[in-house]
Amino acid sequence: MTEFIDPELNSALNCGVVVLDKPQGPSSHQAAAWAAEILGVNTGQGGTLDPMVSGVLVLMLGRAVRLAPVLLNHRKEYVALMRLHKNVPEEKIRTVAKEFIGRQYQRPPKMSAVKRQLRIREIYDLEILDIDGRLVLMRVECEAGTYIRLLCRHIALAMGSGGQMVELRRTKSGPFTEDECVTLHDLKDAVEYAKEGNSGPLKKMILPVERLAGSLPKVVIRDKAVDAICHGAILAAVGILEKDNYKKNARVAVMTQKDELVCVGKAIVSSEDFAKSDTGFVIRPEIVIMEPGTYEKGWKTKKRD
């Protein structure tokens, strides 16, 4: 990893998030690789974008890469431009589009990287933004893994016209929006400033890792329990100070009292099935983010005879 004079910047690069505005042309893997080369740190991406699709590409830096499974399940939002093959009355376009809100069957296209089996994806919202002749601009909020190109084709067929998607931009991925995006040129300039001693611009571009787990239910734990969790210990109820509501087997964000992410764990029991004074185990760590030694050791090792 590239080392800078500013220790706060080095810490952010070691476990942070950058929201990249991916341009049309390169694949998302190539864009992520360029960002990694610019920053001098290992990166992972959340949600693949086709070469001709632009917009929000969430990059996880350093240890934050471990949270990729969490990010991949985030909701997505897109703005798509669809071209119809025939003229369709505006009222019909808006009426038919609304019918696609809800559960939709999709079969991944031949060029996709996943198995081509029929699956269901949820469309949470679909709004027609503008209509210009046969061109229809719409905003789609959907479940991760939804193929917008297929959605456009199905909508156009339902209108009795046929048609296809001609342009697509991702505007949101989980809690991250295009308003937070930076370009590759922005990153390059900020790194050069940081090398000259001005780390401010680059630090502003790196978001805290806690944002990745923002959609998960949370528990806040005692300081004395933190280091044990960092070493893989299972969290007991007595280590919890506060808790959200969650069900058994749910993913839970385990936080410090300073709102720092310790780990993402799997709930052994639901939040309703234990009291904070219980001694039983309640959350099993799955993805540990905080480094051991960040907090003082609050547990004792048994001495061997």
Side-chain angles (χ1 to χ4, degrees), residues 9 15 28 70 139 172 182 188 208 243 261 297 304:
L9 176 57
C15 191
S28 54
V70 176
R139 180 187 62 83
K172 189 174 182 180
V182 298
K188 180 63 176 176
K243 60 178 179 176
L261 179 63
K297 182 178 176 181
R304 295 183 179 179

Side-chain angles (χ1 to χ4, degrees), residues 9-111:
L9 176 57
N10 290 325
S11 178
L13 285 167
N14 190 43
C15 191
V17 181
V18 168
V19 185
L20 184 68
D21 190 344
K22 177 197 165 299
Q24 290 184 333
S27 67
S28 54
H29 296 287
Q30 181 63 72
W34 284 336
E37 183 179 352
I38 291 170
L39 294 170
V41 64
N42 179 45
T43 67
Q45 58 175 330
T48 302
L49 290 177
D50 290 341
M52 296 313 295
V53 179
S54 66
V56 175
L57 181 64
V58 181
L59 302 180
M60 298 155 286
L61 313 181
R63 297 195 318 280
V65 173
R66 302 172 188 176
L67 288 171
V70 176
L71 180 60
L72 292 175
N73 290 324
H74 281 169
R75 289 188 181 191
K76 306 294 192 293
E77 182 185 87
Y78 297 89
V79 171
L81 182 64
M82 174 177 65
R83 178 184 288 117
L84 301 175
H85 294 165
K86 299 178 181 178
N87 294 325
V88 178
E90 181 174 327
E91 183 178 348
K92 183 176 182 179
I93 292 175
R94 296 184 182 278
T95 300
V96 172
K98 288 182 180 179
E99 296 174 358
F100 281 80
I101 297 175
R103 291 157 60 87
Q104 302 295 324
Y105 286 95
Q106 291 195 329
R107 189 183 301 277
K110 293 181 180 180
M111 297 300 291

Side-chain angles (χ1 to χ4, degrees), residues 8 15 23 64 73 88 99 120 124 142 175 185 192 208 243 283:
E8 289 186 3
C15 191
N73 290 324
V88 178
E99 296 174 358
I120 298 175
Y124 303 109
C142 57
H185 291 94
E192 293 305 314
K243 60 178 179 176
I283 297 176

Side-chain angles (χ1 to χ4, degrees), residues 174-236:
F176 305 101
T177 69
E178 63 178 341
D179 293 336
E180 300 171 288
C181 279
V182 298
T183 66
L184 289 166
H185 291 94
D186 293 334
L187 278 181
K188 180 63 176 176
D189 289 344
V191 167
E192 293 305 314
Y193 289 139
K195 289 178 179 178
E196 295 172 0
N198 180 11
S199 60
L202 184 54
K203 286 165 68 174
K204 288 181 180 179
M205 294 177 184
I206 304 175
L207 305 178
V209 68
E210 285 75 18
R211 290 282 303 278
L212 289 172
S215 61
L216 298 178
K218 297 179 181 180
V219 297
V220 178
I221 63 174
R222 302 177 188 275
D223 288 351
K224 291 184 177 181
V226 173
D227 198 58
I229 301 301
C230 292
H231 282 85
I234 302 175
L235 179 62

